[in-house]
Amino acid sequence: MSASRGATRRRPGSVALGDLLRREASAERAEGGERPTVAAGQAGRAKKGEDLALLKPACERRPGAPSTSFSAFALFDGHNGSGAAVYAKEHLLGNVLSCVPTDLTRDDWLAALPRALVAGFVKTDKDFQTKAHSSGTTVTLVIIDGSVVTVASVGDSRCVLEAEGSIFYLSADHRFDASEEEVGRVTECGGEVGRLNVVGGAEIGPLRCWPGGLCLSRSIGDQDVGEFIIPVPYVKQMKLSNSGGRLIIASDGVWDALTAEMAFSCARGLSPELAADQIVKEAVESKGLRDDTTCIVIDIIPPEKPKSTIESLKTPGKGLVLLKNFFLRKTTSGSLSLADKDNYPEPNLVEEVFEDGCPSLSRRLNSEYPVRDMFKLFACAVCQVDLESGQGISIHEGLSKPGKLRPWDGPFLCHSCQEKKEAMEGKRHSRGINLSQFYSMTFIKSSIISNPIIDITPVDSSSRNSGSSE
């Protein structure tokens, strides 16, 4: 033995067990080190009782592991009943978390979160079909992990951030009046968009989808209007600077009365509880209580700052305000990697890490780097059910211009989630169709490839009567 006594010969590139354990312990300490404090408050005034809020400041991805802690907040603005809002409040967060493996590192978890949010929203909407058809809800879900804020939204409730003296909009407005693209998408899928006609042919009010009269292009529920009213959320992810920030999540009862600037201004210097109450009070005094009016205020306070108020937010517009629209290893799916964030050591910037509001499920669930190895290959990308031979349908099946993608490239959907996808695209009736009558494919449970799926002629979708309105 050529090595000296007590030494252990290792292959080139191998790591000693002791070194590996020290590295893992160091990584665990880094993940679970000092993190910002999250303080939240909620207030609201009810007219119909269809607004619901979720405040969970202390969650853990792995139960019993403080290093995996995060906070979750959500606002659900129901319409045509509270059924969809109640169901989404009870199931949405769990559905999102079920789409992400629990053993990921923090960086991988944050990179996987946008795709998991899309899958969780679609699963919640799909499952709700069996509960009720007429009610619907907007959703704004906020997940805070350290200084990283991830927001997913459908509908017209909004989330805004004030940080480094500037205001950032973290949600999208899915009213038809706000997006010509959404109007085009819905009409192409078989819906009709227009204003309410009155006697004499005059058109009044906001743009609405008919039948049903819904003024939102995206929501959870509203199945009677048509499934081209989709639950695919707009997702945005931001990394705050070491100065922290304040978030306001509010229903349209607030935003129809106040601008973001007005909301932050009227509550500046107050605790989250008092701030939320003041914002609601200002909105109601301005427009009257014409709708449920709900507000959640969240302060993200760095460890060195006092817990009472965030003084740095008192004078917006002062100091250095920078927004970096930088994307790390951006792929065709919009999925990002945070692995290289140490190469950008600029601690006093508010960084935009991820943004995507595309309605295409094929794009939003794409399996390109870095999420390719973060999800189970042989499970439905939406509902997570294990797929047996003959049950998997590629998310890319039927694409007119697949590019380098092939029908046997994953991720895969089960038959019912494929039906949901096609209904959202206006290619098929949303319910009452047995897909086993249409599909004939072989799914080889192999790490290499499966046989391609045969093309199916879409079934024309028809409108359904609806009494829902917003």
Side-chain angles (χ1 to χ4, degrees):
M1 186 174 181
S2 58
S4 60
R5 175 175 289 190
T8 302
R9 179 177 294 176
R10 297 191 297 272
R11 293 190 301 272
S14 63
V15 179
L17 178 60
D19 293 339
L20 181 62
L21 293 176
R22 281 192 293 273
R23 290 184 190 178
E24 291 181 351
S26 177
E28 186 77 7
R29 285 194 300 272
E31 281 198 5
E34 276 197 301
R35 295 152 67 89
T37 300
V38 175
Q42 173 203 351
R45 297 193 189 179
K47 186 175 179 65
K48 295 179 288 185
E50 295 173 343
D51 276 10
L52 297 176
L54 174 72
L55 284 78
K56 299 189 71 173
C59 308
E60 291 177 348
R61 290 185 282 120
R62 295 196 300 270
S67 64
T68 66
S69 64
F70 68 95
S71 301
F73 304 92
L75 181 61
F76 309 89
D77 182 357
H79 47 264
N80 205 22
S82 60
V86 171
Y87 187 86
K89 178 180 178 179
E90 292 177 351
H91 296 91
L92 177 60
L93 181 60
N95 286 340
V96 171
L97 296 179
S98 71
C99 294
V100 189
T102 59
D103 58 349
L104 297 182
T105 66
R106 179 172 177 266
D107 283 353
D108 285 345
W109 139 263
L110 290 171
L113 195 51
R115 172 176 158 175
L117 285 162
V118 172
F121 270 62
V122 175
K123 174 175 169 54
T124 302
D125 182 76
K126 173 175 169 282
D127 292 348
F128 183 65
Q129 290 182 7
T130 63
K131 308 297 180 183
H133 295 158
S134 60
S135 66
T137 185
T138 74
V139 180
T140 302
L141 173 62
V142 178
I143 292 179
I144 303 171
D145 189 334
S147 60
V148 178
V149 178
T150 308
V151 181
S153 62
V154 292
D156 59 357
S157 297
R158 298 177 194 167
C159 176
V160 291
L161 163 71
E162 189 177 56
E164 292 290 341
S166 225
I167 293 176
F168 306 94
Y169 293 82
L170 306 189
S171 58
D173 191 340
H174 290 129
R175 293 186 186 185
F176 286 110
D177 281 327
S179 175
E180 292 183 3
E181 290 184 0
E182 288 290 275
V183 172
R185 178 187 64 78
V186 170
T187 54
E188 288 176 7
C189 290
E192 295 184 12
V193 178
R195 303 186 193 280
L196 182 66
N197 288 323
V198 295
V199 177
E203 295 184 343
I204 62 172
L207 287 173
R208 298 176 182 272
C209 180
W210 304 98
L214 188 69
C215 67
L216 304 176
S217 64
R218 304 195 194 189
S219 69
I220 285 180
D222 294 309
Q223 305 302 330
D224 57 335
V225 180
E227 287 197 76
F228 37 76
I229 305 299
I230 60 173
V232 179
Y234 169 89
V235 179
K236 192 161 189 171
Q237 193 172 68
M238 305 285 286
K239 185 178 187 301
L240 302 189
S241 73
N242 55 16
S243 296
R246 166 168 280 187
L247 290 162
I248 297 177
I249 315 167
S251 61
D252 61 341
V254 168
W255 303 122
D256 286 345
L258 305 177
T259 65
E261 290 81 3
M262 294 166 63
F264 282 112
S265 179
C266 75
R268 188 159 290 118
L270 300 178
S271 67
E273 295 84 356
L274 294 177
D277 187 67
Q278 182 63 29
I279 291 169
V280 170
K281 180 181 177 182
E282 291 279 339
V284 172
E285 287 181 352
S286 174
K287 294 286 188 178
L289 188 61
R290 301 189 300 181
D291 192 7
D292 292 343
T293 305
T294 306
C295 179
I296 303 170
V297 175
I298 307 160
D299 284 347
I300 303 174
I301 310 167
E304 68 274 9
K305 284 187 174 289
K307 201 170 184 177
S308 56
T309 59
I310 303 180
E311 297 297 328
S312 64
L313 300 180
K314 285 191 174 182
T315 312
K318 291 187 177 180
L320 179 63
V321 181
L322 294 173
L323 171 63
K324 287 194 68 180
N325 294 312
F326 86 102
F327 292 79
L328 309 182
R329 295 185 182 178
K330 185 175 180 182
T331 69
T332 56
S333 67
S335 300
L336 312 174
S337 171
L338 303 181
D340 291 339
K341 63 182 176 60
D342 290 337
N343 295 332
Y344 301 86
E346 300 173 342
N348 293 314
L349 299 178
V350 178
E351 300 168 356
E352 182 181 299
V353 181
F354 180 96
E355 179 181 17
D356 200 339
C358 177
S360 168
L361 211 57
S362 300
R363 167 174 161 175
R364 301 295 295 279
L365 296 182
N366 202 345
S367 61
E368 293 299 322
Y369 181 88
V371 296
R372 180 179 295 277
D373 299 323
M374 295 181 185
F375 301 91
K376 293 186 293 184
L377 178 60
F378 299 107
C380 175
V382 170
C383 68
Q384 300 300 301
V385 64
D386 289 334
L387 298 173
E388 300 297 334
S389 177
Q391 292 182 343
I393 304 169
S394 171
I395 194 77
H396 312 294
E397 189 271 335
L399 292 181
S400 58
K401 295 180 179 180
K404 295 181 181 180
L405 299 171
R406 300 161 298 180
W408 53 84
D409 285 331
F412 299 95
L413 299 177
C414 65
H415 283 177
S416 65
C417 287
Q418 175 69 4
E419 180 186 55
K420 174 69 176 174
K421 172 181 175 289
E422 294 192 348
M424 289 192 296
E425 295 171 350
K427 297 178 181 177
R428 193 177 300 277
H429 288 285
S430 59
R431 282 183 297 278
I433 295 178
N434 183 357
L435 286 182
S436 64
Q437 298 173 1
F438 298 97
Y439 287 101
S440 174
M441 57 85 70
T442 301
F443 185 96
I444 302 175
K445 201 165 186 179
S446 162
S447 59
I448 306 174
I449 64 170
S450 309
N451 292 331
I453 305 166
I454 63 172
D455 291 332
I456 301 300
T457 302
V459 177
D460 292 335
S461 60
S462 60
S463 301
R464 288 172 288 177
N465 292 329
S466 166
S468 68
S469 62
E470 174 68 5

